[in-house]
Amino acid sequence: MSLRILFMRFGIAAAGGALMALAATTPAAAGDDREDHGRHERLVKGEVTARSGLILRSAPNRGGAVIRVAPYGETVEIFCQTQGQSVDGNRLWYLLTDGTWAWGSARYIDTWKTPRWC
């Protein structure tokens, strides 16, 4: 088998694999929002109560890397809750879905209802 044919077969296989991966990550067709709707039903809204802003971290503890600071009064979406490092006696941390998937201490977030456990 020539090197040219081998490269052509490899390219076709790689392109096919890329298309399969893309199809697996592409959202549902327009008008079919059942899966997306279910995701939003699981989210809980909350409001940041830390006057100087809430530091959002990469882990549910004060040692996690700082992702960003959520300003006072910002409405956040909470995916789930877990126990982590205590902040002023509160061990709960919320995983926020603001595009960064960062953790915020529940001590400084008032929720509309109780988030599910992670």
Side-chain angles (χ1 to χ4, degrees):
M1 180 181 321
S2 75
L3 192 56
R4 180 176 170 216
I5 292 172
L6 184 63
F7 279 1
M8 192 166 42
R9 285 185 179 174
F10 177 77
I12 291 170
L19 286 174
M20 293 297 287
L22 180 63
T25 60
T26 302
D32 186 12
D33 62 350
R34 289 175 291 194
E35 185 177 321
D36 190 45
H37 180 67
R39 184 181 79 79
H40 288 295
E41 285 180 354
R42 291 181 291 196
L43 297 180
V44 173
K45 292 196 183 286
E47 182 178 354
V48 175
T49 61
R51 293 281 179 189
S52 58
L54 176 62
I55 298 173
L56 302 180
R57 300 186 178 273
S58 63
N61 58 58
R62 292 181 179 175
V66 175
I67 304 295
R68 73 175 185 95
V69 177
Y72 172 78
E74 178 179 327
T75 299
V76 294
E77 289 187 330
I78 302 163
F79 183 72
C80 62
Q81 66 178 331
T82 194
Q83 288 201 4
Q85 184 178 14
S86 178
V87 176
D88 291 338
N90 188 334
R91 294 187 53 87
L92 291 179
W93 286 72
Y94 297 146
L95 180 58
L96 307 181
T97 62
D98 65 347
T100 58
W101 290 90
W103 292 95
S105 172
R107 166 68 177 88
Y108 296 106
I109 302 174
D110 282 343
T111 61
W112 278 242
K113 64 180 186 176
T114 304
R116 66 189 174 101
W117 289 96
C118 296

